[in-house]
Structure formats: structure tokens, C-alpha cells
Amino acid sequence: MVTGRAASPPTQANAEDPIVFVIDDDASVRDALSNLFRSVGLRTVAFGSAHEFLQHKPADVPSCLILDIRLPRLSGLDFQAELAKAGIHIPIIFMTGHGDIPMTVRAMKAGAVDFLTKPFRDQDMLDAVTTAIDRDRNRRDEAKVLANLRAAFATLTPRERQVMTLVTAGLMNKQVAAEIGVAEITVKIHRGQIMRKMAAKSLPDLVRMAGILGIGRASGGAQT
Amino acid sequence: MVTGRAASPPTQANAEDPIVFVIDDDASVRDALSNLFRSVGLRTVAFGSAHEFLQHKPADVPSCLILDIRLPRLSGLDFQAELAKAGIHIPIIFMTGHGDIPMTVRAMKAGAVDFLTKPFRDQDMLDAVTTAIDRDRNRRDEAKVLANLRAAFATLTPRERQVMTLVTAGLMNKQVAAEIGVAEITVKIHRGQIMRKMAAKSLPDLVRMAGILGIGRASGGAQT
DNA sequence: GTTGCGACTAAACCTAAGTATGGTCCTCCC
DNA sequence: GGGAGGACCATACTTAGGTTTAGTCGCAAC
């Protein structure tokens, strides 16, 4: 249910399979969780501290993080904040033996997937992990699309970017030309170059790309 | 800070001002909160039960709801679920004297703005209300735009909708014509009609509308 | 100092888009 | 049975979009 693969025999590890990371200073907790996740065919990597987790090279597959709110050095909440500040957006599931409501609120506001109180039912943890992995998969997919678009956009010259902004805002070539003070033919040539570099198959395609890139918040367009 | 208006003298009520709704069976809590919100110039309406709140006609201004988790009949959480099911998306701030973490998690997952434990600091409540009102304002703005677009889209004939889908997907008139089995000139005429009815100022404009309306999940477009 | 590149432009040419005007055919409704 | 409106199409015309070829200018790197 959690992955698409058979649960019972720990099948061959696949580089595409999601990973569950566990951070807890209690070895017995780490073992119990590892066993739980392995029993449903999920790859699991456990750490005794936040520091160790950071040493580990970031996995390039959908993953999530199980975190005890009470960590050796810094609190789970602070670690969550640090990850966010560092641009690491792995979904987090908190566990706690004696947490309180303000902690819970802070964690959830900061985007935590769930906040489980010990002892919790295995199924609750597995459900949370499923949600977290799905969320990460979506996030990664979107990030990938965005990265590709940004890479393409980076190959545009300043002038081409300017033209792309105005064209996707709905201005006609003639209007773009007047706006930036060049001849219409020049705009056409820039435009062709933009379509090629961005690999846009049509103007609507380019408009959608601009939307994803957050370009040109202008409202309207051209009047005839 | 909470509203844009002076706090001290309870100025004239304005139909555009946001409203804070309070539901609590304890009259002293209702009074205390009403006083707090009035002191910063916020319109406040208090109720003793969820039922009374539902009797009240829904306000057409940005608003939020302060809810005790323990309500006379049904719990605050259940009421939250009911509102969601009824399509009422007012942001909710929960208060509780003796809540627990699972309740908190459930409320936050369901979109609650905050979850305050009594006794709370006035400022925490005011901050939560500010956030909630802002969130509702944005939601309302987006809903309004969407409603207008849907109204315009509803005036399109079936054929026009079909053409709009294909055109915003990036097909050329010629390709649209082949796709639906009509002459190119017919597509052009539909297209002009679409631009008029949707009040789109340009093709990019129409593409954005289609995006908001969730039309045409096709990826690409036309090849030359 | 020349090579590469971004920016710009003209001329010529072709395709796509858009707007009348005028008309047919069909269906639903009063 | 006589609209009203949706869908369709042709002819004619105008404007917009886009490519190719060919060339100028300026600047920065080698």
C-alpha cells in the first residue's frame, strides 16, 4: 500500500524507491521504526542525531523525515526551521512523548505532515509516511519542471527576456517594438529565438511557462 | 495594525470592514473577546452556539471564526468539518482549555489558522485574527475572479468551449478545424466570439483564463 | 586585431489570424 | 408557421506573425 512493491520479502533495493529517514537518539526506537518500514518494503535510514543526518548526502528520491521533537542538541522544531532556512524541504513527521499544543501548532504551521504522540499505532505512522512521500514526490516533480524552465530562461539574453515578458503579457509585436524602442522586425527575430530557446511549441505554451516562472504580472493585453 | 483604522474611538461601522465571529457558550469569554477586538477597531459578532452562528446570514466581507473546541452540542472539530462540507471556507481559530495534541493536529490539517490554549495572550489572538482575515481576503478575491470567469465561460456555447480548449492548448486554427471536422473559417468565427464573450484582451489573456478555469490539461501545442 | 556575440535592421516572402458580408440548415419554442 | 439562435460555410480583404538572407555596429575576450 505504501509503495507499489510487495511487502513481505525485503526485495532488492532500487535507486528509485523512496526513503524514510529517522532521527532519534534512542536506538530501540530507531530499530522499531526501521523494522516497521522495512516490513512494508520501504527503504529506511536511521540516525542518532540531526548532525549525522546532515552528514549524509541528500537522497535524490522522494523521501521524508521522522523526527523526535526532543533531539540531543537542538529541538526538533529548531531543526525543522534550520532545514527550511537551508532550503531543504523534506516533509517531516514529528513524534513526541511529552509534547504540548503550542509545539504542535508551530510544527504544523511550519508545514509538518503529522505530529504523532507516543505511543502511536503503526498504521498511523504508515499513513503519515505515505502522505509525506506523496507530498515530496509532487514537490520534486514541480521543482524539476521549474528547474528546467529556469535553465532555459537563463539562456535568454536580457533583451529576449524583456521581449518574452511583454509578449506573454499580451502585447503585439508592434506594441513591444514601440515599448522598447526598436523596429518590429527586431521583435520578431527575438521572439523566434525565444521560442527556440525555451522549446515552446506555441504561444500558449510560452504563456504557461511565463506563468510558472512568475514572469509578467501584467493583467491585460493588446487592444486592436 | 490589525485593521487600517484608528483603534481608540469605536468609529462608525463600515460595511467593508472585516468581521470577527466568536462562538463560545461562556458569556464572559464572548464579552472579553468582543471587547478585545473592538479595542482595535474590529467588528465583532458573538454567538452562544454553532447553531446560532448558522442562523446568522453569512457576511460578505473578509471574516474569521473564533471557536472553542468544546461546544455545547457538537465539537469544534466536527463543526469545522461540517462547514467545510457545506462549502463555507471561513478561516477558523480554535481556543481550548484542555485540548490534546491529536485534536490540534486534526484541526491544523483541516486548515485551522491557529490553535490557542487558554489562557492566551491578547496579542497572540490578535495576530491570529490578522492572519485569518488576510487569508480570507485573499481567498475571497480569488473566488471572485473565479466566479466571474465561470460566469463568462457559462455563456459560451458547447462548440465555443471546445474551440477554446483546443486554441488555448496551442493548436492553430487549421488544426482545430481538422480536429473537430469543420472549416477553418468557422473556427475563426468561433474564436472571435470567444474573445468577445470572455472579454479576453489577447490570446495570452485567454490562456491565463483557461488556466484558472482548469481547462485543457494538454501539454504542448502546434508544430510548424 | 580579429573573432564571437548581442543587438539591431531591411527586403522579400509566406502563413496565420481576424473581420466583415451574406447565406444555408436545423432545432426548439411560442 | 414564424422567429431565435446555434452551427456551419464561402468570398474578399486586412493585419499580424514568422523565416530567410544579408548586413551594420559595438564590445569584450583571446
Side-chain angles (χ1 to χ4, degrees):
Chain A
M1 210 114 323
V2 175
T3 63
R5 323 198 306 105
S8 326
T11 44
Q12 202 71 10
N14 184 317
E16 294 309 306
D17 288 341
I19 302 181
V20 180
F21 293 105
V22 175
I23 307 183
D24 199 305
D25 57 339
D26 184 338
S28 68
V29 171
R30 295 201 297 273
D31 289 348
L33 286 174
S34 294
N35 286 334
L36 171 62
F37 296 136
R38 295 226 176 83
S39 77
V40 296
L42 275 171
R43 276 204 290 169
T44 309
V45 183
F47 305 93
S49 71
H51 182 70
E52 287 176 48
F53 170 75
L54 290 174
Q55 300 305 122
H56 194 270
K57 68 174 193 332
D60 200 22
V61 296
S63 51
C64 71
L65 178 59
I66 320 287
L67 208 57
D68 195 299
I69 205 87
R70 157 167 312 193
L71 285 180
R73 260 169 212 297
L74 77 175
S75 87
L77 288 176
D78 290 341
F79 186 53
Q80 179 186 32
E82 271 195 27
L83 287 177
K85 202 158 53 183
I88 301 173
H89 298 299
I90 184 170
I92 297 176
I93 296 163
F94 283 101
M95 299 181 294
T96 180
H98 20 260
D100 57 25
I101 288 181
M103 272 181 170
T104 310
V105 170
R106 184 177 153 197
M108 296 300 287
K109 276 187 184 171
V113 173
D114 214 327
F115 199 103
L116 301 172
T117 49
K118 295 180 190 173
F120 45 79
R121 291 184 307 144
D122 284 356
Q123 192 56 50
D124 287 343
M125 175 60 86
L126 292 176
D127 288 347
V129 166
T130 303
T131 302
I133 295 283
D134 284 350
R135 194 184 288 188
D136 199 39
R137 202 192 316 275
N138 290 338
R139 194 194 58 77
R140 299 180 78 85
D141 288 349
E142 283 170 20
K144 203 169 168 182
V145 168
L146 182 58
N148 288 341
L149 280 183
R150 277 216 248 260
F153 189 66
T155 70
L156 299 187
T157 67
R159 206 42 148 181
E160 285 163 356
R161 274 174 220 166
Q162 192 181 12
V163 171
M164 175 167 168
T165 301
L166 296 171
V167 164
T168 55
L171 298 208
M172 292 183 307
N173 290 341
K174 192 181 300 185
Q175 295 173 304
V176 173
E179 184 83 23
I180 67 179
V182 301
E184 191 185 347
I185 182 68
T186 307
V187 174
K188 289 184 180 180
I189 288 170
H190 284 320
R191 199 167 162 161
Q193 197 67 15
I194 292 164
M195 297 300 280
R196 256 187 304 281
K197 286 186 178 177
M198 298 298 293
K201 299 195 215 86
S202 62
L203 178 57
D205 215 14
L206 192 70
V207 171
R208 275 185 286 271
M209 290 178 185
I212 294 172
L213 286 167
I215 289 170
R217 263 61 189 86
S219 65
Q223 70 291 349
T224 309
Chain B
M1 211 111 329
V2 173
T3 63
R5 321 197 306 104
S8 325
T11 44
Q12 200 72 11
N14 183 318
E16 294 308 307
D17 288 341
I19 302 181
V20 180
F21 295 105
V22 175
I23 306 182
D24 198 306
D25 57 337
D26 183 339
S28 68
V29 170
R30 295 201 297 272
D31 289 348
L33 285 175
S34 294
N35 286 334
L36 172 61
F37 296 136
R38 295 229 174 81
S39 77
V40 295
L42 275 171
R43 276 203 292 169
T44 308
V45 182
F47 305 92
S49 70
H51 182 71
E52 287 176 49
F53 171 75
L54 290 174
Q55 300 304 121
H56 193 270
K57 69 173 195 328
D60 200 23
V61 296
S63 51
C64 70
L65 179 58
I66 320 286
L67 209 56
D68 195 297
I69 205 86
R70 156 166 316 193
L71 284 181
R73 258 167 214 296
L74 78 176
S75 87
L77 288 176
D78 290 340
F79 187 54
Q80 178 187 31
E82 271 195 27
L83 288 177
K85 203 157 53 182
I88 302 173
H89 298 300
I90 184 170
I92 298 176
I93 296 163
F94 283 102
M95 298 180 294
T96 180
H98 21 259
D100 56 26
I101 288 181
M103 274 180 168
T104 311
V105 170
R106 184 177 154 199
M108 296 300 287
K109 276 188 186 172
V113 174
D114 214 328
F115 199 103
L116 301 172
T117 49
K118 294 180 191 170
F120 46 79
R121 291 184 307 144
D122 283 356
Q123 192 55 50
D124 287 343
M125 176 59 86
L126 292 176
D127 289 347
V129 167
T130 303
T131 302
I133 296 283
D134 284 350
R135 194 184 288 188
D136 200 39
R137 201 192 317 274
N138 290 337
R139 195 193 58 76
R140 298 180 79 85
D141 288 349
E142 283 170 20
K144 203 169 168 183
V145 168
L146 183 56
N148 288 341
L149 281 183
R150 278 214 248 259
F153 190 66
T155 70
L156 299 186
T157 67
R159 210 35 150 187
E160 286 163 357
R161 274 174 220 165
Q162 193 181 11
V163 171
M164 176 167 166
T165 301
L166 296 170
V167 164
T168 55
L171 299 206
M172 292 184 307
N173 290 341
K174 192 182 302 187
Q175 295 174 307
V176 174
E179 184 82 22
I180 68 179
V182 301
E184 191 184 345
I185 183 68
T186 307
V187 174
K188 288 184 181 180
I189 290 171
H190 284 320
R191 201 168 162 161
Q193 197 66 15
I194 292 164
M195 296 299 281
R196 257 186 305 280
K197 286 187 179 178
M198 298 297 294
K201 300 193 216 86
S202 61
L203 178 57
D205 214 14
L206 191 71
V207 171
R208 275 183 287 270
M209 290 179 185
I212 294 171
L213 287 168
I215 289 171
R217 266 58 190 86
S219 63
Q223 68 291 347
T224 310

PDB file of all heavy atoms in Angstrom, chain B residues 153-166 194 215:
ATOM      1  N   PHE B 153     -17.607  31.997 -18.908  1.00  0.00           N
ATOM      2  CA  PHE B 153     -17.458  30.708 -19.594  1.00  0.00           C
ATOM      3  C   PHE B 153     -18.811  30.046 -19.810  1.00  0.00           C
ATOM      4  O   PHE B 153     -19.019  29.349 -20.806  1.00  0.00           O
ATOM      5  CB  PHE B 153     -16.548  29.796 -18.768  1.00  0.00           C
ATOM      6  CG  PHE B 153     -16.138  28.532 -19.478  1.00  0.00           C
ATOM      7  CD1 PHE B 153     -15.330  28.586 -20.603  1.00  0.00           C
ATOM      8  CD2 PHE B 153     -16.557  27.300 -19.015  1.00  0.00           C
ATOM      9  CE1 PHE B 153     -14.946  27.430 -21.259  1.00  0.00           C
ATOM     10  CE2 PHE B 153     -16.178  26.133 -19.667  1.00  0.00           C
ATOM     11  CZ  PHE B 153     -15.376  26.200 -20.790  1.00  0.00           C
ATOM     12  N   ALA B 154     -19.713  30.292 -18.886  1.00  0.00           N
ATOM     13  CA  ALA B 154     -21.040  29.678 -18.985  1.00  0.00           C
ATOM     14  C   ALA B 154     -21.830  30.220 -20.178  1.00  0.00           C
ATOM     15  O   ALA B 154     -22.754  29.566 -20.658  1.00  0.00           O
ATOM     16  CB  ALA B 154     -21.827  29.900 -17.700  1.00  0.00           C
ATOM     17  N   THR B 155     -21.467  31.407 -20.647  1.00  0.00           N
ATOM     18  CA  THR B 155     -22.186  31.985 -21.788  1.00  0.00           C
ATOM     19  C   THR B 155     -21.703  31.405 -23.118  1.00  0.00           C
ATOM     20  O   THR B 155     -22.284  31.691 -24.160  1.00  0.00           O
ATOM     21  CB  THR B 155     -22.038  33.516 -21.846  1.00  0.00           C
ATOM     22  OG1 THR B 155     -20.682  33.827 -22.196  1.00  0.00           O
ATOM     23  CG2 THR B 155     -22.383  34.160 -20.513  1.00  0.00           C
ATOM     24  N   LEU B 156     -20.622  30.632 -23.079  1.00  0.00           N
ATOM     25  CA  LEU B 156     -20.123  30.035 -24.314  1.00  0.00           C
ATOM     26  C   LEU B 156     -21.005  28.852 -24.711  1.00  0.00           C
ATOM     27  O   LEU B 156     -21.521  28.125 -23.864  1.00  0.00           O
ATOM     28  CB  LEU B 156     -18.681  29.540 -24.131  1.00  0.00           C
ATOM     29  CG  LEU B 156     -17.614  30.571 -23.780  1.00  0.00           C
ATOM     30  CD1 LEU B 156     -16.232  29.920 -23.798  1.00  0.00           C
ATOM     31  CD2 LEU B 156     -17.644  31.755 -24.725  1.00  0.00           C
ATOM     32  N   THR B 157     -21.153  28.683 -26.008  1.00  0.00           N
ATOM     33  CA  THR B 157     -21.864  27.501 -26.499  1.00  0.00           C
ATOM     34  C   THR B 157     -20.908  26.300 -26.394  1.00  0.00           C
ATOM     35  O   THR B 157     -19.699  26.484 -26.278  1.00  0.00           O
ATOM     36  CB  THR B 157     -22.289  27.686 -27.962  1.00  0.00           C
ATOM     37  OG1 THR B 157     -21.109  27.728 -28.768  1.00  0.00           O
ATOM     38  CG2 THR B 157     -23.066  28.971 -28.159  1.00  0.00           C
ATOM     39  N   PRO B 158     -21.446  25.090 -26.457  1.00  0.00           N
ATOM     40  CA  PRO B 158     -20.590  23.892 -26.376  1.00  0.00           C
ATOM     41  C   PRO B 158     -19.454  23.931 -27.391  1.00  0.00           C
ATOM     42  O   PRO B 158     -18.319  23.622 -27.062  1.00  0.00           O
ATOM     43  CB  PRO B 158     -21.568  22.758 -26.691  1.00  0.00           C
ATOM     44  CG  PRO B 158     -22.894  23.274 -26.252  1.00  0.00           C
ATOM     45  CD  PRO B 158     -22.875  24.751 -26.528  1.00  0.00           C
ATOM     46  N   ARG B 159     -19.767  24.334 -28.587  1.00  0.00           N
ATOM     47  CA  ARG B 159     -18.749  24.383 -29.619  1.00  0.00           C
ATOM     48  C   ARG B 159     -17.657  25.386 -29.265  1.00  0.00           C
ATOM     49  O   ARG B 159     -16.468  25.129 -29.435  1.00  0.00           O
ATOM     50  CB  ARG B 159     -19.415  24.786 -30.933  1.00  0.00           C
ATOM     51  CG  ARG B 159     -18.821  24.282 -32.191  1.00  0.00           C
ATOM     52  CD  ARG B 159     -18.238  22.926 -32.153  1.00  0.00           C
ATOM     53  NE  ARG B 159     -18.334  22.281 -33.456  1.00  0.00           N
ATOM     54  CZ  ARG B 159     -18.010  21.027 -33.675  1.00  0.00           C
ATOM     55  NH1 ARG B 159     -17.551  20.272 -32.676  1.00  0.00           N
ATOM     56  NH2 ARG B 159     -18.127  20.507 -34.869  1.00  0.00           N
ATOM     57  N   GLU B 160     -18.085  26.515 -28.786  1.00  0.00           N
ATOM     58  CA  GLU B 160     -17.112  27.550 -28.421  1.00  0.00           C
ATOM     59  C   GLU B 160     -16.196  27.070 -27.300  1.00  0.00           C
ATOM     60  O   GLU B 160     -14.999  27.341 -27.294  1.00  0.00           O
ATOM     61  CB  GLU B 160     -17.845  28.828 -28.007  1.00  0.00           C
ATOM     62  CG  GLU B 160     -18.446  29.589 -29.188  1.00  0.00           C
ATOM     63  CD  GLU B 160     -19.501  30.612 -28.789  1.00  0.00           C
ATOM     64  OE1 GLU B 160     -19.824  30.697 -27.582  1.00  0.00           O
ATOM     65  OE2 GLU B 160     -20.008  31.311 -29.681  1.00  0.00           O
ATOM     66  N   ARG B 161     -16.749  26.339 -26.360  1.00  0.00           N
ATOM     67  CA  ARG B 161     -15.915  25.805 -25.274  1.00  0.00           C
ATOM     68  C   ARG B 161     -14.873  24.854 -25.819  1.00  0.00           C
ATOM     69  O   ARG B 161     -13.724  24.861 -25.409  1.00  0.00           O
ATOM     70  CB  ARG B 161     -16.803  25.055 -24.275  1.00  0.00           C
ATOM     71  CG  ARG B 161     -17.381  25.979 -23.243  1.00  0.00           C
ATOM     72  CD  ARG B 161     -18.378  25.266 -22.344  1.00  0.00           C
ATOM     73  NE  ARG B 161     -19.488  26.183 -22.116  1.00  0.00           N
ATOM     74  CZ  ARG B 161     -20.653  25.844 -21.622  1.00  0.00           C
ATOM     75  NH1 ARG B 161     -20.899  24.591 -21.304  1.00  0.00           N
ATOM     76  NH2 ARG B 161     -21.577  26.748 -21.438  1.00  0.00           N
ATOM     77  N   GLN B 162     -15.336  24.044 -26.771  1.00  0.00           N
ATOM     78  CA  GLN B 162     -14.422  23.069 -27.362  1.00  0.00           C
ATOM     79  C   GLN B 162     -13.284  23.780 -28.091  1.00  0.00           C
ATOM     80  O   GLN B 162     -12.119  23.417 -27.941  1.00  0.00           O
ATOM     81  CB  GLN B 162     -15.225  22.202 -28.330  1.00  0.00           C
ATOM     82  CG  GLN B 162     -14.533  20.957 -28.812  1.00  0.00           C
ATOM     83  CD  GLN B 162     -15.414  20.186 -29.791  1.00  0.00           C
ATOM     84  OE1 GLN B 162     -16.447  20.680 -30.253  1.00  0.00           O
ATOM     85  NE2 GLN B 162     -15.008  18.973 -30.119  1.00  0.00           N
ATOM     86  N   VAL B 163     -13.658  24.800 -28.841  1.00  0.00           N
ATOM     87  CA  VAL B 163     -12.642  25.554 -29.579  1.00  0.00           C
ATOM     88  C   VAL B 163     -11.703  26.252 -28.605  1.00  0.00           C
ATOM     89  O   VAL B 163     -10.479  26.252 -28.793  1.00  0.00           O
ATOM     90  CB  VAL B 163     -13.308  26.588 -30.513  1.00  0.00           C
ATOM     91  CG1 VAL B 163     -12.271  27.524 -31.105  1.00  0.00           C
ATOM     92  CG2 VAL B 163     -14.070  25.878 -31.627  1.00  0.00           C
ATOM     93  N   MET B 164     -12.236  26.805 -27.557  1.00  0.00           N
ATOM     94  CA  MET B 164     -11.399  27.487 -26.563  1.00  0.00           C
ATOM     95  C   MET B 164     -10.381  26.525 -25.970  1.00  0.00           C
ATOM     96  O   MET B 164      -9.209  26.865 -25.804  1.00  0.00           O
ATOM     97  CB  MET B 164     -12.258  28.090 -25.458  1.00  0.00           C
ATOM     98  CG  MET B 164     -11.424  28.717 -24.348  1.00  0.00           C
ATOM     99  SD  MET B 164     -12.434  29.756 -23.250  1.00  0.00           S
ATOM    100  CE  MET B 164     -11.285  29.983 -21.867  1.00  0.00           C
ATOM    101  N   THR B 165     -10.823  25.341 -25.678  1.00  0.00           N
ATOM    102  CA  THR B 165      -9.916  24.336 -25.118  1.00  0.00           C
ATOM    103  C   THR B 165      -8.752  24.054 -26.060  1.00  0.00           C
ATOM    104  O   THR B 165      -7.592  24.063 -25.657  1.00  0.00           O
ATOM    105  CB  THR B 165     -10.692  23.028 -24.862  1.00  0.00           C
ATOM    106  OG1 THR B 165     -11.766  23.287 -23.967  1.00  0.00           O
ATOM    107  CG2 THR B 165      -9.776  21.967 -24.261  1.00  0.00           C
ATOM    108  N   LEU B 166      -9.086  23.854 -27.328  1.00  0.00           N
ATOM    109  CA  LEU B 166      -8.046  23.493 -28.288  1.00  0.00           C
ATOM    110  C   LEU B 166      -7.128  24.668 -28.597  1.00  0.00           C
ATOM    111  O   LEU B 166      -5.914  24.501 -28.730  1.00  0.00           O
ATOM    112  CB  LEU B 166      -8.699  22.955 -29.569  1.00  0.00           C
ATOM    113  CG  LEU B 166      -9.492  21.651 -29.372  1.00  0.00           C
ATOM    114  CD1 LEU B 166     -10.293  21.310 -30.611  1.00  0.00           C
ATOM    115  CD2 LEU B 166      -8.558  20.511 -29.018  1.00  0.00           C
ATOM    116  N   ILE B 194     -15.475  33.881 -28.866  1.00  0.00           N
ATOM    117  CA  ILE B 194     -14.917  33.508 -27.563  1.00  0.00           C
ATOM    118  C   ILE B 194     -14.207  34.701 -26.921  1.00  0.00           C
ATOM    119  O   ILE B 194     -14.412  35.005 -25.739  1.00  0.00           O
ATOM    120  CB  ILE B 194     -13.917  32.330 -27.719  1.00  0.00           C
ATOM    121  CG1 ILE B 194     -14.654  31.057 -28.122  1.00  0.00           C
ATOM    122  CG2 ILE B 194     -13.136  32.103 -26.432  1.00  0.00           C
ATOM    123  CD1 ILE B 194     -13.746  29.963 -28.666  1.00  0.00           C
ATOM    124  N   ILE B 215      -8.905  24.444 -17.618  1.00  0.00           N
ATOM    125  CA  ILE B 215      -9.267  23.900 -18.929  1.00  0.00           C
ATOM    126  C   ILE B 215      -8.029  23.422 -19.670  1.00  0.00           C
ATOM    127  O   ILE B 215      -6.998  24.070 -19.664  1.00  0.00           O
ATOM    128  CB  ILE B 215      -9.967  24.977 -19.772  1.00  0.00           C
ATOM    129  CG1 ILE B 215     -11.345  25.228 -19.201  1.00  0.00           C
ATOM    130  CG2 ILE B 215     -10.038  24.576 -21.233  1.00  0.00           C
ATOM    131  CD1 ILE B 215     -12.024  26.406 -19.811  1.00  0.00           C
TER     132      ILE B 215
END
